[in-house]
Amino acid sequence: VGFAILHRGTMFSALRALRVDLRRLAGSFTIVAGGTAVALTAAEFTSVQATDLELHTSKYPWSHSGFLSTFDHASMRRGFQVYKEVCSACHSLNYIAFRNLIGNTHTEDEAKALAEEVQVKDGPDDKGAYYNRPGKLSDYLPAPYPNEEAARASNGGAAPPDLSLIIKARHTREDYVFSLLTGYQEPPAGVEVREGLHYNPYFPGQAIAMAPPLYDGQLEFEDGTPATLSQMAKDVVTFLTWAAEPEHDERKRMGMKAFIVVSLLASALWYAKRVRFSAIKTRVVKFEPQNKA
């Protein structure tokens, strides 16, 4: 009888433990199911951001992207021509002066001639009046509009950005600007672009106010290079990269010099440690106490 009572008590304890485990399992399942339902609901009602619709750019092998590579100055000169004849009609380059072109895209005489083509408002003179004068090397490249409001009014409410730092202001830098310039196309089936906008899969939202700025044969390069769409886009992107980082070549040159100096210094330190101080580092100091008399 005692054994039967003990066996029955053990069974009740096991059933009670099983019931507790089932309750815990049910509670965990309820929590997981509830969390999944909340996550699905949130995902369903979350608005799609404009950046989620843009096409990611490809990685292009730019000639100046190497560790020791410098700018292609011939490409930079062609890029300046593209900017001057096409982009400068809407976009400014506020941080580049004519003197910055010397030794990069033009000679000093050519830069002076370019500056003198521009009329710069200066003054006041002795009588307090303002006047126009030919540009000088110290003057900055002229902006197409006097202020942002005028830029917006002339472009349907969208102000064209300044291009001085446009390369550094974009996540994929040169790749983005090149893809944007060459990525205009007809919208696919089912995609409607409102009037005044143009379809470009690389632009956030895929609808951009800027019309396609480049097309084949749009201008003639001074060196005879064929002015294809991709060639003009590549050249103007190279020029804008220099405009954003005019110290690019000098920085790499200084970095190479610093690398050589540090390498020589490291070699000298290694020699001093392994040879000159080897006797000191391997010396053993042993203390032997003397017995007192």
Side-chain angles (χ1 to χ4, degrees), residues 69-86:
S69 302
T70 59
F71 282 122
D72 182 355
H73 288 259
S75 179
M76 287 169 50
R77 185 182 177 96
R78 294 192 299 268
F80 175 79
Q81 183 179 351
V82 175
Y83 168 78
K84 181 184 177 183
E85 298 185 15
V86 180

Side-chain angles (χ1 to χ4, degrees), residues 84-106:
K84 181 184 177 183
E85 298 185 15
V86 180
C87 307
S88 63
C90 299
H91 295 274
S92 59
L93 208 60
N94 291 331
Y95 298 107
I96 299 299
F98 288 102
R99 66 174 181 270
N100 299 130
L101 303 178
I102 300 176
N104 292 299
T105 60
H106 296 76

Side-chain angles (χ1 to χ4, degrees), residues 61-66 69-72 174 237-238 241 248-249 252:
W62 297 97
S63 59
H64 55 268
S65 60
S69 302
T70 59
F71 282 122
D72 182 355
E174 302 98 321
V237 168
T238 301
T241 304
H248 177 274
D249 291 356
K252 288 187 176 180

Side-chain angles (χ1 to χ4, degrees), residues 74-194:
S75 179
M76 287 169 50
R77 185 182 177 96
R78 294 192 299 268
F80 175 79
Q81 183 179 351
V82 175
Y83 168 78
K84 181 184 177 183
E85 298 185 15
V86 180
C87 307
S88 63
C90 299
H91 295 274
S92 59
L93 208 60
N94 291 331
Y95 298 107
I96 299 299
F98 288 102
R99 66 174 181 270
N100 299 130
L101 303 178
I102 300 176
N104 292 299
T105 60
H106 296 76
T107 63
E108 183 175 355
D109 293 336
E110 291 173 336
K112 286 182 178 179
L114 288 173
E116 292 174 354
E117 296 176 358
V118 180
Q119 292 295 315
V120 180
K121 186 176 182 179
D122 202 350
D125 56 12
D126 297 338
K127 298 180 180 180
Y130 288 88
Y131 58 93
N132 291 330
R133 60 165 177 81
K136 300 182 295 185
L137 289 177
S138 58
D139 294 322
Y140 287 83
L141 299 182
Y145 304 104
N147 49 59
E148 185 177 350
E149 288 70 19
R152 292 184 181 276
S154 301
N155 293 275
D162 179 76
L163 299 182
S164 302
L165 301 173
I166 194 67
I167 298 297
K168 298 175 69 174
R170 297 298 180 265
H171 178 62
T172 51
R173 295 171 57 91
E174 302 98 321
D175 297 333
Y176 170 79
V177 179
F178 179 84
S179 299
L180 184 72
L181 292 175
T182 59
Y184 286 90
Q185 55 185 275
E186 293 295 326
V191 176
E192 295 184 2
V193 179
R194 68 179 178 86

